[in-house]
Amino acid sequence: MFRIGCHISAAGGYLAMGKRADALGGNTFAFFTRNPRGGAAKAVDPADVAAFADFCREKDIDRLVAHAPYTLNPCAAKENVREFALMTFRDDLQRMENTPGQYYNFHPGSHVGQGTEVGIEKTAEVLNEVLFPAMTTTVLLETMAGKGSELGGRFEELRAIIDRVELSDKLGVCLDTCHIWDGGYDVVNDLDGVLAEFDRVIGLDRLKAVHLNNSKNTLGAKKDRHAKLLEGVFPLEAIARIVTHPVLETLPFILETPNEEEGYAEEIALCRRLHEGENA
């Protein structure tokens, strides 16, 4: 089944998120587990979770891709920042068990001058602290644009983190189309080649979700500037190839384009038409 959705505000709780996703035409969605800039998370209401589960079964909403706050940096140089990452990660993974079997996506972090190898080691250390055998959530490392000192701009960096994690069966990857384009992977003209490289370095069995975005930048710019699907440098036929590619089309697609709800609804409908082979 083709699954497409967007980021939904967590205000109002789980059932409200499900209804909002459905109203926009989505059958999957992403949400921040707490304020994207950090802070405490709201208490979970069991009745709300139960009603949400019933609604998702009715509407066939699945493959949720929760997102860690942007301020979570597991390889930070400052100890208090790493402590926040550890505390938030641990709390979020417990909260994710309210919606079993879903995904929790995070940015692998920025080493802020410590060096890539140190950053990789520190991020792996945090994952080794927070993952637990009984968890049903799959934690997704997001592909990044490689700007500044951030990790994940190359597939090899994600592989190096995975290789250092004891419970690596709990890990997957979320491929962000804007990020990898800005990082130098040509998903417009050589999507097959990019996926073959991903398979060689990481393994396609690790690929669990796609952040579907256009980019405002040229290939390899390392700037990470998302664009709406019809307004970036990717032509429409490249978006169509992505949503219909046999390796990708069964994964949940999450739009992270700079849109309001009306724009997301239009892009969800567009992606459905493209997936069915219709013209935009």
Side-chain angles (χ1 to χ4, degrees):
M1 173 182 289
F2 181 62
R3 294 198 177 276
I4 181 73
C6 62
H7 263 277
I8 299 291
S9 169
Y14 284 93
L15 181 58
M17 288 193 292
K19 289 182 175 180
R20 197 76 236 127
D22 181 61
L24 295 175
N27 55 0
T28 183
F29 64 92
F31 65 100
F32 282 103
T33 53
R34 62 193 65 222
N35 186 299
R37 297 300 170 189
K42 293 182 179 178
V44 175
D45 178 0
D48 178 47
V49 172
F52 171 71
D54 289 341
F55 184 83
C56 288
R57 281 190 291 270
E58 176 189 347
K59 299 293 185 177
D60 198 14
I61 295 173
D62 197 10
R63 306 288 187 87
L64 310 183
V65 187
H67 203 302
Y70 293 133
T71 48
L72 189 150
N73 184 5
C75 62
K78 294 180 179 179
E79 194 57 34
N80 66 314
V81 178
R82 288 194 77 224
E83 282 297 321
F84 170 79
L86 187 63
M87 175 195 68
T88 300
F89 228 133
R90 185 175 283 128
D91 183 47
D92 279 356
L93 291 186
Q94 291 293 336
R95 294 166 63 85
M96 285 299 296
E97 293 305 305
N98 288 290
T99 53
Q102 307 299 334
Y103 300 129
Y104 179 80
N105 181 76
F106 81 108
H107 295 177
S110 296
H111 64 72
V112 287
Q114 301 171 96
T116 300
E117 185 61 29
V118 172
I120 288 169
E121 290 287 349
K122 286 189 170 184
T123 294
E125 285 174 9
V126 168
L127 288 169
N128 279 323
E129 286 279 343
V130 301
L131 302 183
F132 56 97
M135 65 187 284
T136 66
T137 302
T138 302
V139 173
L140 306 184
L141 295 91
E142 184 172 338
T143 60
M144 303 303 292
K147 71 180 188 298
S149 65
E150 71 181 9
L151 302 179
R154 306 303 301 170
F155 295 155
E156 288 81 2
E157 294 172 8
L158 299 181
R159 178 80 244 185
I161 294 170
I162 293 168
D163 285 344
R164 288 163 172 77
V165 175
E166 296 168 8
L167 297 177
S168 63
D169 60 309
K170 306 296 185 183
L171 296 178
V173 174
C174 177
L175 186 151
D176 186 298
T177 54
C178 169
H179 291 175
I180 62 171
W181 166 266
D182 280 25
Y185 293 98
D186 191 352
V187 292
V188 170
N189 302 297
D190 189 22
L191 179 59
D192 284 337
V194 172
L195 292 174
E197 179 69 1
F198 185 99
D199 192 31
R200 183 187 70 81
V201 177
I202 299 175
L204 286 172
D205 60 316
R206 298 273 185 188
L207 186 53
K208 303 298 184 182
V210 177
H211 281 170
L212 183 61
N213 306 294
N214 210 319
S215 173
K216 296 181 179 180
N217 302 304
T218 55
L219 177 66
K222 300 187 186 302
K223 290 183 178 179
D224 184 10
R225 295 183 65 209
H226 296 202
K228 297 177 182 179
L229 291 187
L230 296 180
E231 295 184 4
V233 298
F234 297 8
L236 183 62
E237 54 266 30
I239 301 294
R241 283 193 294 271
I242 291 169
V243 299
T244 58
H245 196 284
V247 169
L248 303 177
E249 66 175 347
T250 59
L251 304 178
F253 285 86
I254 302 296
L255 295 163
E256 288 191 328
T257 50
N259 266 312
E260 301 296 333
E261 286 193 348
E262 181 180 356
Y264 279 131
E266 291 172 355
E267 290 190 340
I268 288 170
L270 168 66
C271 289
R272 291 197 184 283
R273 294 195 300 273
L274 293 175
H275 185 260
E276 293 302 315
E278 301 176 16
N279 293 326

